[in-house]
PDB file of all heavy atoms in Angstrom:
ATOM      1  N   ILE A  45      13.305  -9.350 -17.448  1.00  0.00           N
ATOM      2  CA  ILE A  45      13.894  -8.059 -17.308  1.00  0.00           C
ATOM      3  C   ILE A  45      12.968  -6.945 -16.937  1.00  0.00           C
ATOM      4  O   ILE A  45      13.181  -6.179 -16.003  1.00  0.00           O
ATOM      5  CB  ILE A  45      14.720  -7.670 -18.553  1.00  0.00           C
ATOM      6  CG1 ILE A  45      15.808  -8.715 -18.840  1.00  0.00           C
ATOM      7  CG2 ILE A  45      15.383  -6.299 -18.421  1.00  0.00           C
ATOM      8  CD1 ILE A  45      16.580  -8.629 -20.132  1.00  0.00           C
ATOM      9  N   HIS A  46      11.908  -6.834 -17.743  1.00  0.00           N
ATOM     10  CA  HIS A  46      10.829  -5.874 -17.438  1.00  0.00           C
ATOM     11  C   HIS A  46      10.186  -6.196 -16.070  1.00  0.00           C
ATOM     12  O   HIS A  46       9.887  -5.246 -15.308  1.00  0.00           O
ATOM     13  CB  HIS A  46       9.771  -5.898 -18.558  1.00  0.00           C
ATOM     14  CG  HIS A  46      10.283  -5.270 -19.757  1.00  0.00           C
ATOM     15  ND1 HIS A  46      11.222  -5.838 -20.570  1.00  0.00           N
ATOM     16  CD2 HIS A  46       9.971  -4.023 -20.372  1.00  0.00           C
ATOM     17  CE1 HIS A  46      11.466  -4.961 -21.577  1.00  0.00           C
ATOM     18  NE2 HIS A  46      10.797  -3.893 -21.532  1.00  0.00           N
ATOM     19  N   ASN A  49      12.573  -5.256 -13.141  1.00  0.00           N
ATOM     20  CA  ASN A  49      12.795  -3.748 -13.086  1.00  0.00           C
ATOM     21  C   ASN A  49      11.567  -3.068 -12.582  1.00  0.00           C
ATOM     22  O   ASN A  49      11.634  -2.226 -11.755  1.00  0.00           O
ATOM     23  CB  ASN A  49      13.000  -3.214 -14.487  1.00  0.00           C
ATOM     24  CG  ASN A  49      13.163  -1.724 -14.503  1.00  0.00           C
ATOM     25  OD1 ASN A  49      14.086  -1.137 -13.981  1.00  0.00           O
ATOM     26  ND2 ASN A  49      12.145  -1.088 -15.121  1.00  0.00           N
ATOM     27  N   PHE A  50      10.418  -3.585 -13.043  1.00  0.00           N
ATOM     28  CA  PHE A  50       9.061  -2.965 -12.498  1.00  0.00           C
ATOM     29  C   PHE A  50       8.949  -3.257 -10.999  1.00  0.00           C
ATOM     30  O   PHE A  50       8.528  -2.369 -10.266  1.00  0.00           O
ATOM     31  CB  PHE A  50       7.865  -3.626 -13.336  1.00  0.00           C
ATOM     32  CG  PHE A  50       6.663  -2.906 -13.276  1.00  0.00           C
ATOM     33  CD1 PHE A  50       6.463  -1.701 -13.856  1.00  0.00           C
ATOM     34  CD2 PHE A  50       5.596  -3.511 -12.487  1.00  0.00           C
ATOM     35  CE1 PHE A  50       5.234  -1.000 -13.693  1.00  0.00           C
ATOM     36  CE2 PHE A  50       4.360  -2.852 -12.422  1.00  0.00           C
ATOM     37  CZ  PHE A  50       4.169  -1.626 -13.007  1.00  0.00           C
ATOM     38  N   TYR A  96      18.069   4.975 -17.780  1.00  0.00           N
ATOM     39  CA  TYR A  96      18.451   3.716 -18.441  1.00  0.00           C
ATOM     40  C   TYR A  96      17.242   3.182 -19.277  1.00  0.00           C
ATOM     41  O   TYR A  96      16.186   3.528 -18.970  1.00  0.00           O
ATOM     42  CB  TYR A  96      19.011   2.539 -17.479  1.00  0.00           C
ATOM     43  CG  TYR A  96      17.907   2.188 -16.436  1.00  0.00           C
ATOM     44  CD1 TYR A  96      16.905   1.233 -16.706  1.00  0.00           C
ATOM     45  CD2 TYR A  96      17.933   2.821 -15.193  1.00  0.00           C
ATOM     46  CE1 TYR A  96      15.969   0.823 -15.795  1.00  0.00           C
ATOM     47  CE2 TYR A  96      16.876   2.397 -14.238  1.00  0.00           C
ATOM     48  CZ  TYR A  96      15.956   1.439 -14.554  1.00  0.00           C
ATOM     49  OH  TYR A  96      15.083   1.135 -13.653  1.00  0.00           O
ATOM     50  N   THR A  97      17.474   2.331 -20.254  1.00  0.00           N
ATOM     51  CA  THR A  97      16.499   1.728 -21.014  1.00  0.00           C
ATOM     52  C   THR A  97      16.597   0.166 -20.783  1.00  0.00           C
ATOM     53  O   THR A  97      17.629  -0.303 -20.312  1.00  0.00           O
ATOM     54  CB  THR A  97      16.445   2.062 -22.459  1.00  0.00           C
ATOM     55  OG1 THR A  97      17.749   1.759 -23.030  1.00  0.00           O
ATOM     56  CG2 THR A  97      16.253   3.539 -22.698  1.00  0.00           C
ATOM     57  N   LEU A  98      15.607  -0.577 -21.284  1.00  0.00           N
ATOM     58  CA  LEU A  98      15.657  -2.050 -21.153  1.00  0.00           C
ATOM     59  C   LEU A  98      15.552  -2.613 -22.550  1.00  0.00           C
ATOM     60  O   LEU A  98      14.991  -2.185 -23.483  1.00  0.00           O
ATOM     61  CB  LEU A  98      14.409  -2.455 -20.393  1.00  0.00           C
ATOM     62  CG  LEU A  98      14.181  -1.854 -19.020  1.00  0.00           C
ATOM     63  CD1 LEU A  98      12.804  -2.343 -18.428  1.00  0.00           C
ATOM     64  CD2 LEU A  98      15.320  -2.215 -18.071  1.00  0.00           C
ATOM     65  N   PRO A  99      16.252  -3.760 -22.745  1.00  0.00           N
ATOM     66  CA  PRO A  99      16.219  -4.453 -24.008  1.00  0.00           C
ATOM     67  C   PRO A  99      14.808  -5.000 -24.225  1.00  0.00           C
ATOM     68  O   PRO A  99      14.097  -5.397 -23.283  1.00  0.00           O
ATOM     69  CB  PRO A  99      17.193  -5.546 -23.892  1.00  0.00           C
ATOM     70  CG  PRO A  99      17.353  -5.810 -22.463  1.00  0.00           C
ATOM     71  CD  PRO A  99      17.176  -4.440 -21.897  1.00  0.00           C
ATOM     72  N   ALA A 100      14.375  -4.939 -25.494  1.00  0.00           N
ATOM     73  CA  ALA A 100      13.071  -5.422 -25.782  1.00  0.00           C
ATOM     74  C   ALA A 100      12.864  -6.790 -25.470  1.00  0.00           C
ATOM     75  O   ALA A 100      13.783  -7.669 -25.653  1.00  0.00           O
ATOM     76  CB  ALA A 100      12.805  -5.180 -27.315  1.00  0.00           C
ATOM     77  N   GLU A 101      11.653  -7.214 -24.896  1.00  0.00           N
ATOM     78  CA  GLU A 101      11.277  -8.549 -24.629  1.00  0.00           C
ATOM     79  C   GLU A 101       9.981  -8.827 -25.239  1.00  0.00           C
ATOM     80  O   GLU A 101       8.919  -9.033 -24.548  1.00  0.00           O
ATOM     81  CB  GLU A 101      11.246  -8.848 -23.122  1.00  0.00           C
ATOM     82  CG  GLU A 101      12.638  -8.800 -22.426  1.00  0.00           C
ATOM     83  CD  GLU A 101      12.498  -9.063 -20.926  1.00  0.00           C
ATOM     84  OE1 GLU A 101      11.894  -8.288 -20.204  1.00  0.00           O
ATOM     85  OE2 GLU A 101      13.024 -10.078 -20.416  1.00  0.00           O
ATOM     86  N   ALA A 116       5.451  -1.458 -21.845  1.00  0.00           N
ATOM     87  CA  ALA A 116       6.369  -0.474 -21.662  1.00  0.00           C
ATOM     88  C   ALA A 116       6.388   0.559 -22.739  1.00  0.00           C
ATOM     89  O   ALA A 116       6.423   0.174 -23.989  1.00  0.00           O
ATOM     90  CB  ALA A 116       7.850  -1.092 -21.614  1.00  0.00           C
ATOM     91  N   ARG A 127      14.121  -0.802 -30.460  1.00  0.00           N
ATOM     92  CA  ARG A 127      12.817  -0.887 -29.698  1.00  0.00           C
ATOM     93  C   ARG A 127      13.044  -1.145 -28.264  1.00  0.00           C
ATOM     94  O   ARG A 127      12.213  -1.896 -27.607  1.00  0.00           O
ATOM     95  CB  ARG A 127      11.872  -1.736 -30.354  1.00  0.00           C
ATOM     96  CG  ARG A 127      11.453  -1.326 -31.705  1.00  0.00           C
ATOM     97  CD  ARG A 127      10.646  -2.299 -32.548  1.00  0.00           C
ATOM     98  NE  ARG A 127      10.061  -1.658 -33.745  1.00  0.00           N
ATOM     99  CZ  ARG A 127       9.583  -2.288 -34.821  1.00  0.00           C
ATOM    100  NH1 ARG A 127       9.583  -3.611 -34.711  1.00  0.00           N
ATOM    101  NH2 ARG A 127       9.168  -1.574 -35.918  1.00  0.00           N
ATOM    102  N   ARG A 128      14.152  -0.522 -27.709  1.00  0.00           N
ATOM    103  CA  ARG A 128      14.324  -0.680 -26.257  1.00  0.00           C
ATOM    104  C   ARG A 128      13.269   0.070 -25.439  1.00  0.00           C
ATOM    105  O   ARG A 128      12.807   1.130 -25.903  1.00  0.00           O
ATOM    106  CB  ARG A 128      15.759  -0.070 -25.868  1.00  0.00           C
ATOM    107  CG  ARG A 128      16.848  -0.906 -26.464  1.00  0.00           C
ATOM    108  CD  ARG A 128      18.239  -0.290 -26.062  1.00  0.00           C
ATOM    109  NE  ARG A 128      18.536  -0.439 -24.584  1.00  0.00           N
ATOM    110  CZ  ARG A 128      19.003  -1.466 -23.970  1.00  0.00           C
ATOM    111  NH1 ARG A 128      19.472  -2.466 -24.806  1.00  0.00           N
ATOM    112  NH2 ARG A 128      19.231  -1.479 -22.672  1.00  0.00           N
ATOM    113  N   SER A 129      13.027  -0.459 -24.351  1.00  0.00           N
ATOM    114  CA  SER A 129      11.869   0.108 -23.587  1.00  0.00           C
ATOM    115  C   SER A 129      12.304   1.167 -22.577  1.00  0.00           C
ATOM    116  O   SER A 129      13.453   1.089 -22.096  1.00  0.00           O
ATOM    117  CB  SER A 129      11.211  -1.041 -22.732  1.00  0.00           C
ATOM    118  OG  SER A 129      10.547  -2.060 -23.541  1.00  0.00           O
ATOM    119  N   SER A 130      11.397   2.058 -22.304  1.00  0.00           N
ATOM    120  CA  SER A 130      11.615   2.978 -21.181  1.00  0.00           C
ATOM    121  C   SER A 130      11.812   2.300 -19.915  1.00  0.00           C
ATOM    122  O   SER A 130      11.279   1.192 -19.690  1.00  0.00           O
ATOM    123  CB  SER A 130      10.290   3.892 -21.064  1.00  0.00           C
ATOM    124  OG  SER A 130      10.239   4.468 -19.758  1.00  0.00           O
ATOM    125  N   GLY A 131      12.619   2.749 -19.059  1.00  0.00           N
ATOM    126  CA  GLY A 131      12.932   2.159 -17.788  1.00  0.00           C
ATOM    127  C   GLY A 131      11.865   2.299 -16.800  1.00  0.00           C
ATOM    128  O   GLY A 131      11.738   1.324 -15.853  1.00  0.00           O
ATOM    129  N   ALA A 132      10.939   3.277 -16.987  1.00  0.00           N
ATOM    130  CA  ALA A 132       9.932   3.500 -15.965  1.00  0.00           C
ATOM    131  C   ALA A 132       8.560   3.720 -16.421  1.00  0.00           C
ATOM    132  O   ALA A 132       7.514   3.436 -15.847  1.00  0.00           O
ATOM    133  CB  ALA A 132      10.320   4.603 -14.946  1.00  0.00           C
ATOM    134  N   THR A 186       7.075  -4.003 -25.897  1.00  0.00           N
ATOM    135  CA  THR A 186       7.073  -5.086 -24.890  1.00  0.00           C
ATOM    136  C   THR A 186       5.867  -5.067 -24.012  1.00  0.00           C
ATOM    137  O   THR A 186       5.624  -4.165 -23.173  1.00  0.00           O
ATOM    138  CB  THR A 186       8.410  -5.062 -24.094  1.00  0.00           C
ATOM    139  OG1 THR A 186       9.505  -5.224 -24.836  1.00  0.00           O
ATOM    140  CG2 THR A 186       8.372  -6.130 -22.937  1.00  0.00           C
TER     141      THR A 186
END
Side-chain angles (χ1 to χ4, degrees):
I45 296 173
H46 286 70
N49 176 71
F50 196 69
Y96 60 85
T97 59
L98 305 175
E101 292 182 294
R127 294 173 170 162
R128 295 181 65 89
S129 298
S130 160
T186 296

